[in-house]
């Protein structure tokens, strides 16, 4: 995209004078600094942020906005940790504890394969008694359903739990076992905010930022791909967010293994941090726009409608976002924390939402590559 095209696409007159120098750097495809990212977070000119973020979005993805036909499966919420921000995890005897059997998971997935899903997205707690063979059998049974089904599963902390407590093997060997059994890619969950002081207050005992990054680094070096996330809108500052983005950008420089970035706002209602005021819609849009501008080595930024609502996700398409995630179905983690958004969206709803924002809807695969016409029966309006 030429500089003259960019200037025609987004006139500098749409950008406030205080952000003009950042606009010029983005037009010239120069990387912005941490200090400049903090300036963007401090800006109240949301329209200027959107104008700058859309330069990057247009340059990388044109007018296309994507979605995926996927199915979320939380196989268990039984967990040895007790993160303060989490309403999902449970001890075995807790009334809200649950654990799905492998046949149940397989049959559930089989039913949704018939409706056209291309990906199963599967995470759970750090279960104290499930065996290594259980995870291998689960992956193999899912793989036997359809060789083309993309199995996206496990957070970095789940991988460390399996490596250190279950298989008692190095991370690279654990990932090799899971890959051979059918694992296609890792989820980005568990990143939260990388700052150690923040982590100590919201998820004490969880893996450190370096430990999270180590798992993804090894997976990328093995040729695997993953997404990455940020949980924001709790006790972190703008500086903490920029530090988080910087560490992701540095790892992406090193491995190029992240397919996309998926930030989501903290839902406090039923957690130990229920006193915290939820992130406003404006803050969510600002965070997406800043992320799009700062993460210049990421091709895709997702507006995670399950956390931010579909109408706000639609607005985010004009603030740097090029993906609305997927059809999902039965998401538990955010809803157990108090989210009141729907747990499923139809293809027709997602496509209508994208068109109303002036974008071209495109079904994608798990690597954000365009697919042909959606073949889903999930088409009711």
């Amino acid at each position: 995209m030429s500089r003259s095209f960019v200037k025609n696409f987004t006139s500098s007159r749409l950008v406030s004078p205080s952000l003009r120098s950042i606009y010029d750097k983005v037009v010239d495809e120069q990387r912005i600094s941490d200090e400049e990212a903090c300036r963007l977070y401090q800006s109240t000119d949301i329209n200027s942020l959107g104008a700058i973020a859309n330069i990057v979005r247009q340059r990388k993805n044109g007018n296309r906005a994507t979605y995926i036909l996927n199915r979320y499966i939380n196989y268990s919420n039984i967990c040895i940790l007790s993160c303060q921000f989490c309403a999902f995890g449970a001890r075995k005897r807790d009334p809200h504890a649950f654990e799905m059997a492998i046949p149940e998971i397989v049959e559930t997935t089989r039913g949704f394969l018939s409706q056209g899903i291309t990906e199963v997205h599967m995470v759970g707690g750090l279960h104290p008694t499930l065996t290594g063979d259980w995870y291998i059998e689960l992956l193999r049974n899912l793989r036997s359903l359809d060789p083309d089904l993309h199995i996206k599963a496990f957070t970095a902390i789940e991988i460390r739990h399996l490596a250190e407590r279950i298989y008692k093997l190095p991370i690279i060997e654990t990932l090799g076992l899971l890959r051979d059994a059918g694992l296609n890619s890792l989820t980005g969950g568990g990143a939260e905010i990388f700052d150690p002081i923040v982590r100590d207050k919201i998820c004490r005992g969880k893996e450190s930022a370096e430990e999270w990054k180590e798992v993804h680094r090894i997976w990328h070096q093995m040729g695997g791909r993953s997404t990455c996330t940020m949980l924001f809108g709790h006790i972190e500052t703008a500086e903490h967010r920029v530090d988080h983005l910087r560490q992701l950008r540095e790892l992406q420089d090193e491995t190029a293994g992240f397919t996309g970035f998926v930030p989501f706002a903290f839902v406090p209602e039923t957690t130990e941090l229920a006193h915290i005021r939820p992130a406003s819609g404006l803050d969510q849009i600002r965070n997406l726009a800043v992320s799009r501008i700062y993460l210049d080595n990421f091709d895709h930024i997702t507006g995670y409608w399950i956390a931010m609502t579909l109408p706000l996700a639609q607005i985010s398409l004009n603030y740097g976002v090029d993906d609305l995630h997927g059809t999902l179905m039965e998401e538990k983690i955010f809803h157990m924390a108090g989210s009141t958004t729907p747990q499923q969206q139809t293809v027709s709803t997602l496509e209508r939402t994208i068109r109303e924002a002036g974008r071209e809807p495109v079904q994608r695969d798990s690597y954000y590559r365009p697919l042909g016409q959606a073949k889903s029966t999930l088409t009711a309006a």
Side-chain angles (χ1 to χ4, degrees), residues 80-93:
I80 62 175
L81 296 179
S82 299
C83 296
Q84 293 87 333
F85 74 88
C86 181
F88 175 72
R91 302 298 184 182
K92 274 195 170 185
R93 295 182 180 179

Side-chain angles (χ1 to χ4, degrees), residues 358-370:
R359 303 280 176 258
E360 175 193 353
V362 176
Q363 183 188 349
R364 66 168 174 90
D365 68 7
S366 300
Y367 300 122
Y368 290 79
R369 298 176 302 200

Side-chain angles (χ1 to χ4, degrees), residues 303-309 328 331 334-335 339 341-344:
Y304 191 54
W305 66 261
I306 199 73
M308 65 189 305
T309 75
L328 298 181
E331 190 280 337
F334 280 87
H335 285 85
S339 175
T341 60
Q343 296 196 40
Q344 174 178 334

Side-chain angles (χ1 to χ4, degrees), residues 288-361:
L288 286 162
V290 176
S291 300
R292 175 62 288 171
I293 297 164
Y294 186 90
L295 295 175
D296 54 6
N297 54 1
F298 279 70
D299 287 334
H300 305 288
I301 305 292
T302 290
Y304 191 54
W305 66 261
I306 199 73
M308 65 189 305
T309 75
L310 192 59
L312 192 58
Q314 182 185 54
I315 294 171
S316 76
L317 292 172
N318 286 299
Y319 291 86
V321 165
D322 68 284
D323 178 72
L324 290 188
H325 210 278
T327 46
L328 298 181
M329 308 166 207
E330 293 188 41
E331 190 280 337
K332 289 186 171 67
I333 295 176
F334 280 87
H335 285 85
M336 290 178 75
S339 175
T340 58
T341 60
Q343 296 196 40
Q344 174 178 334
Q345 295 292 350
T346 64
V347 168
S348 60
T349 298
L350 289 174
E351 291 198 343
R352 183 175 66 248
T353 297
I354 291 168
R355 287 196 183 96
E356 287 173 352
R359 303 280 176 258
E360 175 193 353

Side-chain angles (χ1 to χ4, degrees), residues 16-151:
S16 61
S18 63
L19 300 180
R20 193 72 54 78
S21 63
I22 297 176
Y23 164 86
D24 287 337
K25 290 184 76 169
V26 172
V27 168
D28 290 335
E29 300 187 55
Q30 297 178 26
R31 174 165 285 185
I32 72 167
S33 67
D34 289 9
E35 183 274 331
E36 288 168 324
C38 286
R39 281 171 53 198
L40 292 176
Y41 271 120
Q42 293 161 4
S43 174
T44 58
D45 187 352
I46 193 67
N47 290 327
S48 289
L49 290 178
I52 299 170
N54 273 338
I55 294 171
V56 186
R57 177 196 57 75
Q58 179 75 17
R59 178 183 290 144
K60 290 180 176 291
N61 299 290
N63 203 45
R64 190 171 64 196
T66 56
Y67 64 90
I68 187 171
L69 273 65
N70 62 349
R71 158 75 171 173
Y72 266 36
I73 294 180
N74 300 119
Y75 59 88
S76 175
N77 68 337
I78 297 171
C79 188
I80 62 175
L81 296 179
S82 299
C83 296
Q84 293 87 333
F85 74 88
C86 181
F88 175 72
R91 302 298 184 182
K92 274 195 170 185
R93 295 182 180 179
D94 287 346
H96 66 291
F98 69 88
E99 179 182 321
M100 296 180 71
I102 290 176
E104 180 184 3
I105 297 171
V106 171
E107 288 309 306
T108 297
T109 305
R110 188 194 309 276
F112 281 94
L113 272 169
S114 68
Q115 297 186 35
I117 68 164
T118 62
E119 174 191 279
V120 60
H121 182 291
M122 185 169 58
V123 297
L126 307 188
H127 200 292
T129 58
L130 289 177
T131 67
D133 288 342
W134 187 92
Y135 291 92
I136 298 299
E137 181 183 352
L138 172 60
L139 290 170
R140 286 177 175 167
N141 276 270
L142 288 173
R143 173 57 58 232
S144 68
L145 288 175
D146 184 343
D148 294 326
L149 173 66
H150 189 99
I151 302 174

